[in-house]
Amino acid sequence: MLEAVLIPAAVMGGLGGLLAVVLLVAARKFAVYEDPLIAAVEAALPNANCGACGFAGCHDFASKLVATRDEKMFCPPGGKDTAAKVGALLGLQVEGRDPPVAVVLCRGSRGVANYAGEYAGLADCRAATLVDGATKVCPYGCVGLGSCVRACKYDAIEIRDGVAVVLPEKCIGDGACVAACPRGIIRMAPRGVRVYVACVSHDPGAAVRKYCKVGCIGCKRCVKACTFDAMQFDRNLARVDHDKCTACGACVGTCPQKVIEEVGLTGEAHAKAHPPPKEKKPAAEPTAAAAPPAAGA
Amino acid sequence: MARTFRRGGVHPPEEKQRTERKPIETLPLPKRVVIPMAQCLGAPAEPTVKPKDAVKTGQRIGEPKGFVSTPVHASVSGTVKKVDLFPTAVGARSLCVEIESDGKDEWVEGVDLAGSDVDFSQPDAFLPALTEAGLVGMGGAAFPTHVKLKPPKDAQVDTLILNGAECEPYLTADHRLMVEHAAEIATGLQILAAVLKVERTFVGIEDNKPDAVAAMKKALAGVLGVEVVVCRTRYPQGAEKQLIQSITNHEVPPGKLPMHVGCVVQNVGTAFAAFEAVARRKPLVERVLTVSGRAIREPKNLRVRVGTPLGEIVTFCGGTTDDLRKLIFGGPMMGKALRYEDVPVVKSTSGILFFDRQEAAAVQEFPCIRCGRCLEACPQRLVPCDLGDLAEHGLYDRLADAMDCVECDSCQYACPAHRRLVHLLRLGKSEFRRLQKKG
Amino acid sequence: MAESTTPTADAAAAPAKAPEPATHELLVTSSPHFATPENVPRIMHTVWLALLPACAAAVWLFGLDALVVIGLTVLACVGFEALLVRARGRSWGEVRRTALDGSAIVTGVLLALNLPAAAPWWMLLVGAFVAMGLGKHAFGGLGHNPFNPALVARVFLLISFPTQMLTWSSPVDSFGQTTAERIEQDKAELDGQTYATPLGKLKDALRNRADPAKLAALRAEAAERYPLLDLFLGRTGGSLGETSALALLLGAALLFWRRILTWHIPLTFVAATALVTGIAWAVNPEVYVNPLVHVLGGGLILGAFFMATDMVTSPVTRLGMVIFGAGGGLITAVIRLWGSYPEGVSFAILIMNALVPLIDRYTRGRKFGETRRAAA
């Protein structure tokens, strides 16, 4: 009776032990040596494997960083924290920046932008632009069919009323939406307090007014209002230079189309950005903007 | 016996009865023209005029940029109003020269509108004349003709084929051109053959145009080395590669061009323009097109100046009905649907179709039932249902085969599930190219 | 609001002409702007209409019970399809469109034609559910299933309820007796055995190695009771659809005329079966039956013309279809001659269904202009 238990136990135990030895030997013999630093660096990374750094995943970034010790390599979603940790591990001064956030430079939703025609094709922005099927009259604005939504793995962007809107708390800054947009209206901006011109139309003002209530008409009031030379102007369109912008709020209040978006402004800046509505006196100019109403002919 | 390509193709209703017997009418001079600088495949031209300049008809207003580019000429005389971005059939914003006509239609020096003599003893003078005239493929592709007529030395081109198939339904412009101007086309053919230095020429015409066949045969009666070939009416008989197979039995290999099987194909309209360029020193500023569809009151075959806004054409054709639902530049198989009604005609516009609600009716889409009709229809012998699936699921890197697609649209026409195969293929090809560029 | 301003002098040239808003709401789609009038519902509805002669023959031969079986199965299939599409989270509009596109009706009719007239109502419901659920919607609905749904259900029922599935009734020449009554009558005639189809009886005898004399007697009996004409017209036992080859072929003619059917699958299927059984018969006529019995009896005509030709589960290339048909015919013959089941068509088709993606891949053929078949 005892043999009935002992023999199988011995056989299975022996087999198990033998296999364990084989595995042990294999683990030693076929082990791939990897610098333990790589694992340490990788642990300090966000491990989202998003590819925003330009490398094939977090492990690849870590390996290349340990190999090259290149201080310019940067992990956008990791931002300053990760840069600091990684720098400490390797004794480098890794450039730390806050992860950028995506911004959609268009607010032409169904209520404020004009549409013409009807499109019946693949519900994809790239597909629609191939056949000139985007129904918004403005040829620069958001197509609204959601290629960016499908590209984002973090549900950080959605279509509301025909225009794409970023959810900054979910955005990790990997830029997938930027690549997906066929009109290039999504850009990366620094996180935190900021202003930006939410329009990309290069059409002159008269044309823009005909098709959108919140489009940039190229009046240049914001350019004049900015005391930091941070508002660029090119072909009827204003654009914020984030390296110079101090988010003082001056430009926001002067824009007659209310195209300039502000995020996170407080106190005096907020007041500048949201002046009280003007009284109906033609000569009065209650805000700080100094530009006279009618610019040169 | 009518020849045809071996596999594939579909036979949509021809719908040519509206205009095939109507002689070409000339549209009265437009009040203004908007001439795009991008009128051919390749680089757009650069404008050489500015607002307030006076121009004459046929005067150069756009310089070609590089080899694969053509000059652009004013199609009316008058004053340049603007050089700016306008909505065109190519895209919502395209650089154009807007000219306000002075009504006089004064041509530049050297143009002889009544000329008909061609000196065949000086064939080397032909190519410069064709290049200067800004000739492009008039069948719709708008490939610069002077590039096609100058194949690389190792190509060994020995055959010229004139494409008179006009396989697209509704369109009858080439048909009428052959019936009414066979002599000029015949001369144009000889000019092109002289440039290419070929001795074998064919004219391919579908068998639904017996009068055009007769006219061309008569015009070419004394000319050596030319054969008028009657081809079976089957779409896409007029597609280059298919026409070459129908006439010469050669199949252009995937990824290669007709010249690799020794052929060059030109549209009959291009041959006509070649004649005008050499005999009349006339630049390409006008073309014949078909206006048709149920939502236009008077369908016609029209000769129009390049840059004519659509509005003038619509008025001349009796206006549109209230039922207009779709506006198409080109034919119903490969043409482009437009959102705006005020776009200008360009060198490659072969037809303008006004579809009413019934003609434009959207069809219910179903899932693929694996019936196999799409691959029966594909003249390039691809498997459109599978390629469409790959594109639909975003597997663009597996779409190398899709690059052989000529976008003839036969597959979607044949599909009983009405899947948007062409749109998927287009998207897939575009994404594949993007991936290739990224490297 | 401040007064509107004009662009300053240093802006680009005077404003471009803004596009006039279209006066009509123009539709933009990719080309082509033309579509063939053929569509999926038209094809599906034509298929089940083509099966009506066979249904009529079934009712004529087996009575009102046949009508109930067909009607209930079709209703159940359509009903379950609607339920399953809704369960997959689709809108009611899509539910309606899908349930009425005709494919469920086709599956229902085909399944019914594979069942005996005496099939109990609950078995029909189970079959319909398996066909729609397991055979079709588990894979994503129309176009996505690899196996013929009617056959999936039939095989499921065959394995789960063999007795009910193999209880064949004999045909009656007019409406009147119910199936149950008929079965009782036949049982009395045959000492309480289930009334087998001609093939079944022969099969049993062969397997049990009956002596040659008995075999000869059975064969004579078969020949006498089931002359080929009867097999052709349908005056024999069997499932609702496998009996009248004439009715089936009439329907198939309609499908050929409408170009929904081509010769590639049916002809090769029948030819392969006839060839293999013919060879066997030629080699040993004592043991094997005339190939025409195989062709006209059993579900071969139904299978070759209506089940193997299901577009979704058959190859997409013409050469592939030929291989599919030949393979199916071959396997049918093998099962009939040497397998344990008297009926091989269902299994043969299901086996070939599994091979379809492979067949499609390797029969793609060369592209236009290619000189050699490129590596796959």
Side-chain angles (χ1 to χ4, degrees), chain A residues 2 30 55 59 76 96 103 119 130 165 185 188 209 213 225 227 258 264 273 285:
Chain A
L2 201 55
F30 298 120
F55 296 95
H59 184 83
V103 287
Y119 170 65
L130 274 176
V165 175
I185 65 170
M188 301 309 284
R209 267 215 204 79
K213 293 200 187 105
T227 51
K258 306 259 183 288
E285 199 73 54

Side-chain angles (χ1 to χ4, degrees), chain C residues 172-192:
Chain C
V172 290
D173 279 347
S174 59
F175 303 96
Q177 272 180 316
T178 66
T179 312
E181 285 167 13
R182 235 176 294 121
I183 291 175
E184 285 311 300
Q185 192 181 57
D186 289 346
K187 267 191 186 167
E189 284 178 33
L190 292 161
D191 310 314

Side-chain angles (χ1 to χ4, degrees), chain B residues 108-302:
Chain B
V108 288
E109 291 232 355
V111 174
D112 174 14
L113 290 175
S116 57
D117 291 325
V118 175
D119 183 4
F120 279 96
S121 65
Q122 307 279 342
D124 289 332
F126 294 161
L127 190 56
L130 299 176
T131 316
E132 168 55 42
L135 243 60
V136 300
M138 306 281 272
F143 191 74
T145 308
H146 67 271
V147 176
K148 235 189 199 181
L149 291 176
K150 239 189 146 176
K153 289 230 185 317
D154 52 350
Q156 290 184 324
V157 170
D158 60 9
T159 309
L160 169 67
I161 297 176
L162 227 54
N163 190 344
E166 200 164 42
C167 52
E168 282 265 16
Y170 288 90
L171 302 187
T172 53
D174 287 350
H175 182 174
R176 294 308 309 176
L177 203 65
M178 286 189 281
V179 168
E180 297 173 38
H181 296 281
E184 291 98 315
I185 296 174
T187 314
L189 182 159
Q190 292 171 76
I191 293 170
L192 295 171
V195 173
L196 283 168
K197 299 191 181 42
V198 298
E199 282 165 19
R200 239 172 38 131
T201 323
F202 297 97
V203 182
I205 307 177
E206 275 190 336
D207 60 14
N208 58 2
K209 302 183 245 297
D211 47 354
V213 172
M216 289 304 297
K217 276 191 171 154
K218 189 162 161 224
L220 290 163
V223 184
L224 292 171
V226 183
E227 191 191 327
V228 174
V229 178
V230 180
C231 299
R232 206 174 120 208
T233 299
R234 190 159 178 79
Y235 180 88
Q237 191 66 258
E240 250 186 355
K241 298 183 180 179
Q242 275 58 52
L243 191 63
I244 291 173
Q245 187 187 35
S246 298
I247 292 179
T248 67
N249 259 332
H250 290 136
E251 286 186 16
V252 177
K256 298 268 200 266
L257 295 166
M259 63 174 164
H260 294 111
V261 293
C263 297
V264 167
V265 181
Q266 294 284 7
N267 182 272
V268 289
T270 315
F272 181 80
F275 162 78
E276 292 211 295
V278 173
R280 297 174 180 163
R281 306 214 68 82
K282 190 175 156 189
L284 184 52
V285 292
E286 65 182 8
R287 68 156 297 141
V288 178
L289 48 80
T290 306
V291 176
S292 191
R294 293 227 289 250
I296 189 89
R297 293 221 162 80
E298 292 166 32
K300 289 180 203 281
N301 296 299
L302 278 183

Side-chain angles (χ1 to χ4, degrees), chain A residues 110 114-122 128 131-137 143 145, chain B residues 323-328 336-341 357 360-363 420 423, chain C residues 21-30 33:
Chain A
R110 285 202 179 266
N114 287 351
Y115 289 77
E118 195 187 318
Y119 170 65
L122 300 177
V131 295
D132 278 338
T135 50
K136 199 174 256 163
V137 176
V143 178
L145 290 171
Chain B
D323 211 20
L324 175 64
R325 180 75 168 128
K326 221 178 198 183
L327 174 61
I328 299 167
K336 186 169 178 182
L338 300 174
R339 269 190 312 136
Y340 297 114
E341 290 179 52
R357 279 191 185 269
V363 281
R420 314 220 194 281
H423 206 168
Chain C
T23 47
H24 306 90
E25 189 78 340
L26 292 178
L27 178 65
V28 173
T29 66
S30 162
H33 308 287

